[in-house]
Amino acid sequence: MNEKIEIKKKVLTKNDEIAAEIRRRLAVKKIVALNMVSSPGSGKTSLLEKTLAAMNDRLNIALIAGDVQTENDAQRLLRAGGRQVRSIVTGGACHLDANMVDKVLEEIDLTGVEVLFIENVGNLVCPSGFDLGEDKKVVLISTTEGDDKPLKYPSMFRRSSALIINKIDLLEYSDFSVDRVRENARSINADLETFEMSCRTGAGLDPWYDWLEAKVAEKKGS
Ligand SMILES: Nc1nc2c(ncn2[C@@H]2O[C@H](COP(=O)(O)OP(=O)(O)O)[C@@H](O)[C@H]2O)c(=O)[nH]1
Ligand SMILES: [Mg+2]
């Protein structure tokens, strides 16, 4: 009996094709690309400011700041010492797409760059479906958002590699439980690496810096 096995090829969307090309280009240059995602206000820009302050001498970092309407975040990153900072103003779109990143990458000199941060538009829904050619998505959640959010926005947590729990300095003012959010997130994605920190006080940031350096070393060895 002949069995016909039908193999359905995934038809790449235009976005996925461009993202794959970005990924290839960044891989050749051994650049770690991180797509930073969260709700508005979780602390993405704050984390990047801290990271620049601590790591700018040790790592060659380029940054893309996506926003719906302003270039405020790019300005903050420049003030924090970012050497190569570009902004993408989506003009209403709730997420970055690979085409936007591709265009702005043309303006960045990637020679010697070790880490490319892409701060996505603040939104836990739309950015999850758009590959930007990154190595990893890093999702932030802050202690004012509620520890049930991984269960409500599973796609984002499923597609992320690391979870940053930010604003732990505010824990005493809320009923947010770090254990519960970690448990909820890991029920969606058991492989998530987690960090707890305060970008205000600086508590808990060292393990993040170590992780970043480890990812750069891994990439160079690849
Ligand atoms: N208390 C406290 N506030 C923080 C912390 N991290 C960021 N913020 C504040 O939260 C607000 C939003 O931060 P921002 O970095 O702009 O978030 P983004 O929208 O995700 O980029 C700002 O007023 C920050 O100063 C933190 O760890 N603790
Ligand atoms: Mg921001």
Side-chain angles (χ1 to χ4, degrees):
M1 189 173 76
N2 289 326
E3 239 178 67
K4 193 175 177 183
I5 301 170
E6 203 182 319
I7 299 170
K8 285 189 180 174
K9 276 189 183 173
K10 185 184 175 201
V11 178
L12 286 177
T13 63
K14 191 72 191 157
N15 186 80
D16 287 345
E17 285 174 18
I18 299 170
E21 175 58 23
I22 292 172
R23 184 168 288 111
R24 194 194 59 75
R25 258 163 50 211
L26 297 177
V28 168
K29 296 195 179 295
K30 299 201 180 281
I31 297 171
V32 176
L34 300 174
N35 181 358
M36 312 297 289
V37 292
S38 80
S39 299
S42 305
K44 298 180 295 303
T45 314
S46 302
L47 176 61
L48 297 179
E49 288 172 321
K50 284 279 183 200
T51 304
L52 282 169
M55 306 296 282
N56 223 7
D57 294 342
R58 282 188 272 165
L59 291 178
N60 189 330
I61 299 172
L63 307 102
I64 297 172
D67 210 341
V68 173
Q69 209 56 69
T70 75
E71 298 196 355
N72 292 0
D73 288 355
Q75 296 298 335
R76 285 171 61 184
L77 298 174
L78 277 171
R79 282 199 297 275
R83 287 183 288 252
Q84 293 205 76
V85 181
R86 296 290 179 278
S87 80
I88 298 175
V89 178
T90 66
C94 57
H95 58 84
L96 297 181
D97 65 35
N99 192 40
M100 298 173 190
V101 173
D102 189 43
K103 281 198 182 119
V104 87
L105 273 180
E106 284 169 20
E107 300 167 16
I108 297 179
D109 179 5
L110 293 174
T111 315
V113 169
E114 293 167 297
V115 182
L116 173 68
F117 284 110
I118 306 170
E119 177 176 342
N120 216 313
V121 174
N123 185 329
L124 275 179
V125 183
C126 316
S128 84
F130 284 81
D131 185 3
L132 303 179
E134 72 272 1
D135 288 300
K136 295 174 191 306
K137 285 187 178 67
V138 176
V139 61
L140 285 81
I141 186 164
S142 62
T143 58
T144 52
E145 292 170 47
D147 48 35
D148 59 341
K149 292 306 170 289
L151 303 176
K152 296 179 101 171
Y153 304 98
S155 166
M156 191 62 99
F157 290 82
R158 194 172 300 119
R159 288 166 195 228
S160 294
S161 303
L163 165 66
I164 288 178
I165 303 160
N166 188 32
K167 307 196 189 181
I168 58 168
D169 55 298
L170 300 179
L171 273 173
E172 61 182 299
Y173 305 107
S174 77
D175 58 358
F176 186 98
S177 156
V178 169
D179 286 343
R180 213 155 41 224
V181 80
R182 217 191 282 111
E183 206 174 287
N184 288 339
R186 290 217 171 116
S187 74
I188 308 286
N189 177 355
D191 298 328
L192 263 180
E193 295 190 62
T194 64
F195 300 87
E196 294 149 38
M197 63 177 67
S198 166
C199 290
R200 161 92 20 111
T201 67
L205 277 152
D206 284 343
W208 160 251
Y209 301 144
D210 292 344
W211 183 84
L212 206 53
E213 285 194 311
K215 295 300 152 205
V216 170
E218 258 172 45
K219 181 62 89 169
K220 287 188 174 157
S222 67

